[in-house]
Amino acid sequence: MLLTLLAKAGLTKAGLTKARARRFAVWRRERPLGAAVLAVLGAVELLWLPFAGFPAAVGVAGVVAGAGLSTSVPLLVTAVMLATHPRLHTPVGIVVLALALVALVTCNAGGMLVGSLLAGAGGVWGFAWLPPERDAG
């Protein structure tokens, strides 16, 4: 009975999927999601590299690992803030870029440059992102 009522209202499974896709598209357009994804990828790479055990990783326990974590974790938090607080994209983009530059010194040369480049690109994109214009009517 419930399925029949939902079908009459146009709320079939396909209808729900289309509605969810439309809502996600609107949500995505209203925030710098690409910038946030790049910054998160950079932060995850900076966090992962010292613990991966690669011979190329210069991960050293102690003070250096603490400095790397104290840069990578705030970078991850600010990267998530780009997606969750789109109105703060300018200051958060600057902080992401600054943390990506600090990571060059503290996190194994910026995660062998890959993490810092990803996070830096996300910070610049987040800083430069412009929200979509609203309709006047």
Side-chain angles (χ1 to χ4, degrees), residues 64-118:
V64 176
L69 284 175
S70 67
T71 304
S72 303
V73 172
L75 180 60
L76 185 62
V77 170
T78 54
V80 170
M81 281 183 65
L82 274 174
T84 58
H85 302 298
R87 290 186 179 180
L88 298 174
H89 69 93
T90 301
V92 172
I94 291 171
V95 171
V96 168
L97 182 59
L99 286 170
L101 292 173
V102 169
L104 285 170
V105 178
T106 60
C107 297
N108 299 323
M112 302 303 174
L113 293 178
V114 175
S116 281
L117 288 175
L118 285 171

Side-chain angles (χ1 to χ4, degrees), residues 118-130:
L118 285 171
V124 169
W125 188 357
F127 175 76
W129 177 79
L130 293 174

